[in-house]
Amino acid sequence: MPDMYATQALPHLVPLAEELDKNKVTPGVLGFIVFAALAVGVWALMKSMNRHMGKVDFEEAPEAPGTPQASGASGSAKRK
């Protein structure tokens, strides 16, 4: 059985390409499916983010007078 290469298959696809309107370009069904999948993914991420942000309970501890401001690495934030 002879091996078939892509260059041998191209002449059979040329008549199909001539049927297309060269002035009209559309994304087609595949483009719509990819766009819809991206939209559903973004919606799911936003829903998850809102759920996680709703669980955040942050209370800032009042600063004691006379102490220097914390640089963030000193651990002045209160953790549960």
Side-chain angles (χ1 to χ4, degrees):
M1 195 185 295
D3 292 327
M4 182 172 245
Y5 296 103
T7 55
Q8 294 171 337
L10 284 177
H12 300 291
L13 296 176
V14 171
L16 295 174
E18 290 175 357
E19 294 175 8
L20 296 176
D21 185 12
K22 294 180 177 150
N23 296 324
K24 183 177 179 183
V25 178
T26 61
V29 176
L30 180 62
F32 174 75
I33 291 171
V34 169
F35 181 77
L38 287 172
V40 169
V42 168
W43 176 79
L45 284 172
M46 289 178 65
K47 187 170 176 131
S48 174
M49 181 192 68
N50 283 334
R51 189 177 326 122
H52 282 70
M53 292 298 287
K55 293 179 183 178
V56 173
D57 184 25
F58 178 75
E59 294 179 15
E60 189 171 339
E63 285 189 26
T67 59
Q69 290 187 352
S71 64
S74 66
S76 65
K78 182 176 156 184
R79 295 187 180 222
K80 289 186 178 183

